[in-house]
Amino acid sequence: MDLGPWEIAIIAVVILVLFGSAKLPQAARSLGRSMRIFKSETKGLIGDDDEKQSTSADARTEAARLRAEAARLEAQAGPQELKAPVDDAVKEGVPVRQSEHGK
């Protein structure tokens, strides 16, 4: 598909009519920003492959260290029983008003 100068001119006129002369610079700026972001993200993806191998090994060693620390702390703490505080103003899970408290 070969575009000649007349086809390009017609396409430019149609774009000018559709978007208007005021919005064209803004649209071009937005397109430029989008392309810049896209380029930086694709460069980041290429560089991430090398970093992922080293960070996954670091993450594994960090996870193993944290598991060992958690096991050590649990062994130090020993078994614990959870007790809920007893409140005289609560009867069967429902708070009792002061006037009914004495009954």
Side-chain angles (χ1 to χ4, degrees):
M1 183 171 178
D2 190 22
L3 291 177
W6 287 108
E7 288 90 2
I8 294 174
I10 291 172
I11 292 171
V13 168
V14 169
I15 290 174
L16 185 63
V17 169
L18 287 176
F19 291 107
S21 62
K23 290 193 177 187
L24 278 180
Q26 182 182 6
R29 225 176 286 119
S30 177
L31 181 65
R33 285 185 193 132
S34 299
M35 289 180 65
R36 193 174 331 124
I37 291 170
F38 181 74
K39 282 182 181 179
S40 67
E41 290 296 323
T42 54
K43 285 180 183 178
L45 288 176
I46 292 169
D48 282 349
D49 292 339
D50 299 333
E51 292 175 15
K52 278 186 183 178
Q53 292 173 353
S54 64
T55 57
S56 64
D58 293 340
R60 285 189 192 111
T61 56
E62 181 68 15
R65 187 188 65 78
L66 289 174
R67 279 194 295 274
E69 180 72 14
R72 186 184 63 79
L73 290 174
E74 285 178 1
Q76 273 184 347
Q80 294 180 359
E81 187 177 321
L82 296 176
K83 292 183 180 180
V86 179
D87 189 4
D88 291 337
V90 176
K91 188 176 186 180
E92 296 177 11
V94 178
V96 180
R97 291 186 293 223
Q98 280 294 53
S99 61
E100 296 177 356
H101 186 63
K103 294 182 183 179

